[in-house]
Amino acid sequence: WSSDVCSSDLKGEQRTPEFLKMNPAGAIPVIADSEGPDGKPLYLAQSGAIVMYLAAKSGKLIPRDARRRAQAIQWTLMAASDVAGASGAIFQLEMVSPEKSPPNIDLFKKRLLNYFTVADQRLEGREFLADEFSAADVMLYPNFFARKSLIDAAGGYANLQRWGAAMAARPAVQRGMKVLG
């Protein structure tokens, strides 16, 4: 099967008629799977949905063990909603908002660091969030990467830092992160 990841930047490419056919909300990322369900093309948005779809379709990144699978789903959704939401709010407040509000930015930075604290605690004595490499790790890593300077400035997070270094060393993660660059 094949899929193309469609990404954009702040140039407004996600508002072109071609892109809006894939995702009417004009949000990124989007995948175009030419071999979607029933052999029909599928356009899918939302990072968490994309990760879960690709994991299910490939049969990878979803643990077979029921407990680990449930944990992978929980951590994937936490990364997709809580972590990404807080990180996205920081981006909006710092880069897009016409009025910068340091107290609001700090509020979301603290919120994001709280989520990273929870992940750091979860990773104590574990290599991965669900005890094996899963969609959860794939979902959390881009926000860890994007907010590494914030994490570094806060200090600590030894388990998260160890995990982040191990993730960064994975060849597939390196290839995936080039798409963002």
Side-chain angles (χ1 to χ4, degrees):
W1 65 279
S2 64
S3 67
D4 295 315
V5 175
C6 301
S7 61
S8 185
D9 55 26
L10 293 176
K11 295 177 186 173
E13 296 167 8
Q14 74 277 14
R15 290 185 290 279
T16 64
E18 297 80 18
F19 192 93
L20 292 172
K21 287 178 186 175
M22 293 184 287
N23 183 2
I28 55 175
V30 169
I31 64 165
D33 184 354
S34 60
E35 300 173 19
D38 302 323
K40 297 177 183 174
L42 172 72
Y43 297 112
L44 192 62
Q46 296 293 331
S47 298
I50 292 168
V51 168
M52 296 301 291
Y53 172 76
L54 294 175
K57 184 169 184 173
S58 70
K60 299 176 182 176
L61 303 177
I62 297 292
R64 295 198 192 298
D65 175 79
R67 180 174 299 280
R68 286 183 176 184
R69 185 173 49 253
Q71 291 168 342
I73 292 168
Q74 172 190 315
W75 286 99
T76 300
L77 294 177
M78 179 183 174
S81 60
D82 301 331
V83 173
S87 184
I90 293 167
F91 175 80
Q92 292 293 322
L93 291 167
E94 288 182 333
M95 305 300 290
V96 180
S97 177
E99 292 185 31
K100 308 304 180 222
S101 171
N104 288 338
I105 294 168
D106 288 344
L107 172 76
F108 280 97
K109 285 181 177 180
K110 287 177 186 171
R111 184 175 184 160
L112 181 59
L113 287 171
N114 286 338
Y115 293 132
F116 282 134
T117 296
V118 173
D120 182 72
Q121 292 167 349
R122 172 67 184 176
L123 288 163
E124 185 173 352
R126 290 181 168 84
E127 189 175 359
F128 301 110
L129 291 165
D131 294 322
E132 63 184 82
F133 185 63
S134 72
D137 302 291
V138 172
M139 195 68 229
L140 183 62
Y141 183 75
N143 279 295
F144 167 83
F145 178 85
R147 298 298 172 190
K148 186 144 178 8
S149 63
L150 176 66
I151 296 165
D152 291 346
Y157 302 95
N159 302 310
L160 188 66
Q161 295 280 14
R162 170 190 44 77
W163 169 87
M167 289 292 293
R170 297 178 72 91
V173 170
Q174 293 171 3
R175 287 190 306 274
M177 294 307 291
K178 284 182 184 176
V179 171
L180 297 176

